[in-house]
Amino acid sequence: MRNERERIVTERVYDALNERIYEYDHPSGLHIQIIPKRGYRKKFAVLTTDFGSINTEYRIGEKRIQIPDGSAHFLEHKLYEQPEGDVMNQFAALGADCNAATGYSKTYYYFSCTENFEQCLDLLLRHVFHPYFTEQNVEKEKGIIIQEINMYLDDPYYVCEMDLLGLLYQNNPVKKDIAGTEASVRQITPEILYQSHAAFYRPRNMCLTVVGDFDRETVYRAVDRAELPQNASDKIEKLLPDEPEQLAGTRSARRMDTPLPIFNFGFKDRPERYQGKERMRRRLAGSMVKELLLGTSSELYEKLYENGYINYDFYASYEIERDYAMFSISGVSEQIDLVQEYIMDYVERLRGNGIGSHAFAVLKNAMNGSLLRGFDSVSFIGRIFGQLYLQGVDAFDYFLSCGTITEEDVNHVIADLLSGDMAVSVIERLD
């Protein structure tokens, strides 16, 4: 449909989910997603940019640029400082909660509120798209971030996770701390931050997702008056080193101050083999395998728990992004070797026999129910819709595709992903 300003808005209705979405591309290049949730008091908005900690090298035209590790995270911190003060305090004065997060491949800026929605949206667009960096505020932030880095280096759970990434990846910068190192943070300057913002915070590299009960015109007005940067024509090419299929290592161990030994097991996947809808299906099937192996009602979980080998601090994760993918299992145990043995024996049995039709039906129903329940959360919807859009995946297609995942898809993930070498990272007690 069109309005008086010739804005072309596409409406898509998904009867199976009882949901709809309105989308349009602003002249600046920013893609806007509006998902109405009638009767909901809470409103949520998130700006997602296709720029994360791994994007430290890129090319504009013939010019190759490298920025220090931790630049994306540093930039996220500094965008909350404006000439008039701390943006978080301004959100709080409007009665809103706000935050941001830097991941390996994306950065998110978001708020939730029940009132003053339009003012909050103005504030979000203003502080993300109009940076304010000075020598003084950048130098001050360095000390804060270095303190944060050192705090995480004292956290055995975090160290165990980073050690696992160092075993899984030889060259991919996903193995590096999102915040960088003390040395790399000290290299960051206002010029680097402005340069990174200009390269990756251009509207066409971003998506605004808004969820809740509000008049859509409030969103259109806010974006129109935000004075967004022009739709730049120069192309940004992200550069990443080639990553071999082989692991960098299979085991690491260190001692730290921890009440119980900590472990992280991991398998490396190859995301470049899956594009578009195939990557979407791989993600769904991988999530099902996660629940099959380590859901709290799974056979493996119950055996490990009943034998006292694990406690509730036990979970699995499957991630697949454009530039990295992995399956990991984490927990604490006095019997890490036995936990590893149980897991590998169970996986071997599944590889030989398959998941079985009954177990698959139960798993699929549970997964469908979990995804549908997610639509009751405006923040869940906002985060995942923006993230998937920047991966070239339609989020509604993603949710609807869950019903098309087959037993064969799940068995393929078990046979393919879990048949390679397993990396094992361990943190032992000091005593």
Side-chain angles (χ1 to χ4, degrees):
M1 59 185 175
R2 295 172 182 264
N3 69 4
E4 70 281 1
R5 306 173 78 171
E6 296 299 310
R7 181 187 292 116
I8 301 174
V9 180
T10 302
E11 178 185 13
R12 291 187 290 142
V13 179
Y14 291 83
D15 291 328
L17 298 170
N18 194 29
E19 300 286 347
R20 66 184 62 217
I21 185 171
Y22 299 88
E23 296 181 276
Y24 83 102
D25 292 310
H26 188 263
S28 64
L30 180 66
H31 185 75
I32 291 97
Q33 302 173 315
I34 301 173
I35 303 166
K37 300 293 287 185
R38 300 303 176 206
Y40 279 58
R41 293 190 67 245
K42 187 175 180 181
K43 303 165 183 64
F44 181 84
V46 56
L47 267 172
T48 308
T49 181
D50 197 16
F51 174 53
S53 67
I54 65 175
N55 304 126
T56 56
E57 193 170 358
Y58 59 97
R59 184 185 288 118
I60 302 179
E62 297 299 317
K63 187 177 182 182
R64 193 181 184 112
I65 299 169
Q66 187 153 10
I67 57 178
D69 293 337
S71 294
H73 175 259
F74 202 111
L75 182 54
E76 173 230 302
H77 273 230
K78 290 315 299 169
L79 285 179
Y80 279 94
E81 186 164 352
Q82 293 289 316
E84 64 272 20
D86 189 335
V87 174
M88 287 193 169
N89 292 336
Q90 296 175 56
F91 273 112
L94 292 168
D97 292 323
C98 74
N99 212 330
T102 304
Y104 295 119
S105 62
K106 305 283 186 298
T107 307
Y108 309 88
Y109 300 84
Y110 52 94
F111 72 83
S112 62
C113 66
T114 57
E115 55 187 4
N116 299 318
F117 168 70
E118 192 165 357
Q119 297 96 312
C120 289
L121 187 55
D122 283 339
L123 183 56
L124 176 70
L125 293 166
R126 186 168 69 248
H127 90 82
V128 172
F129 283 110
H130 301 284
Y132 171 69
F133 310 129
T134 67
E135 293 287 349
Q136 292 75 22
N137 68 30
V138 168
E139 283 303 312
K140 178 183 176 182
E141 195 68 33
K142 287 180 182 180
I144 296 170
I145 291 179
I146 288 168
Q147 186 178 26
E148 179 183 328
I149 290 170
N150 291 330
M151 178 184 70
Y152 277 111
L153 291 177
D154 288 333
D155 181 348
Y157 290 91
Y158 179 78
V159 171
C160 193
E161 180 182 341
M162 294 306 298
D163 284 351
L164 178 69
L165 292 173
L167 293 172
L168 292 175
Y169 291 97
Q170 298 189 38
N171 303 322
N172 193 315
V174 74
K175 69 179 183 177
K176 298 181 179 181
D177 191 319
I178 287 174
T181 64
E182 180 173 347
S184 69
V185 166
R186 293 199 183 281
Q187 297 171 26
I188 295 173
T189 64
E191 291 73 25
I192 287 172
L193 295 177
Y194 276 120
Q195 180 186 59
S196 300
H197 188 277
F200 294 107
Y201 282 69
R202 51 185 65 193
R204 73 177 185 187
N205 194 54
M206 303 178 72
C207 178
L208 170 66
T209 309
V210 191
V211 190
D213 190 353
F214 46 80
D215 182 353
R216 297 197 306 277
E217 282 295 327
T218 62
V219 179
Y220 304 149
R221 289 195 300 266
V223 175
D224 284 344
R225 64 174 171 258
E227 298 182 359
L228 302 183
Q230 294 298 306
N231 195 347
S233 59
D234 52 337
K235 182 181 178 182
I236 303 291
E237 181 187 1
K238 297 173 184 175
L239 304 174
L240 287 170
D242 291 334
E243 176 63 36
E245 189 169 348
Q246 295 77 20
L247 302 183
T250 56
R251 189 174 181 89
S252 71
R254 67 170 84 195
R255 295 184 180 277
M256 294 182 70
D257 185 12
T258 176
L260 288 171
I262 303 166
F263 64 85
N264 249 295
F265 305 150
F267 296 88
K268 182 179 182 178
D269 205 358
R270 305 291 297 179
E272 68 276 6
R273 297 184 299 175
Y274 308 96
Q275 304 297 327
K277 290 187 176 181
E278 286 306 309
R279 186 179 296 158
M280 178 175 65
R281 293 180 65 83
R282 181 75 167 186
R283 177 172 174 167
L284 286 165
S287 296
M288 287 187 180
V289 172
K290 177 193 74 173
E291 289 302 313
L292 171 69
L293 291 179
L294 299 165
T296 53
S297 60
S298 71
E299 176 188 342
L300 177 61
Y301 181 94
E302 288 179 356
K303 282 187 176 180
L304 290 170
Y305 186 79
E306 287 171 3
N307 285 322
Y309 297 149
I310 61 169
N311 59 20
Y312 286 114
D313 190 8
F314 184 67
Y315 60 94
S317 171
Y318 177 66
E319 297 178 69
I320 181 165
E321 295 278 344
R322 182 176 51 231
D323 302 310
Y324 66 92
M326 70 192 86
F327 188 97
S328 62
I329 303 166
S330 310
V332 299
S333 178
E334 297 278 14
Q335 304 287 342
I336 292 175
D337 289 341
L338 282 174
V339 172
Q340 181 181 352
E341 184 180 329
Y342 264 74
I343 290 172
M344 295 311 298
D345 286 347
Y346 188 68
V347 168
E348 188 62 36
R349 179 154 59 87
L350 287 175
R351 280 205 299 260
N353 302 331
I355 179 177
S357 298
H358 176 71
F360 173 72
V362 171
L363 183 64
K364 188 172 180 178
N365 287 337
M367 185 83 168
N368 272 320
S370 177
L371 289 174
L372 288 173
R373 285 191 297 275
F375 275 91
D376 290 332
S377 167
V378 294
S379 57
F380 170 80
I381 295 172
R383 288 286 291 270
I384 198 166
F385 269 71
Q387 176 196 90
L388 290 175
Y389 172 79
L390 292 175
Q391 290 187 53
V393 173
D394 183 278
F396 277 122
D397 285 348
Y398 173 78
F399 288 109
L400 293 171
S401 290
C402 185
T404 70
I405 300 298
T406 66
E407 185 179 334
E408 183 181 357
D409 291 328
V410 174
N411 284 330
H412 176 71
V413 171
I414 295 168
D416 173 53
L417 175 59
L418 303 183
S419 63
D421 291 334
M422 183 167 76
V424 179
S425 166
V426 175
I427 304 293
E428 297 282 4
R429 284 185 297 231
L430 288 173
D431 55 293

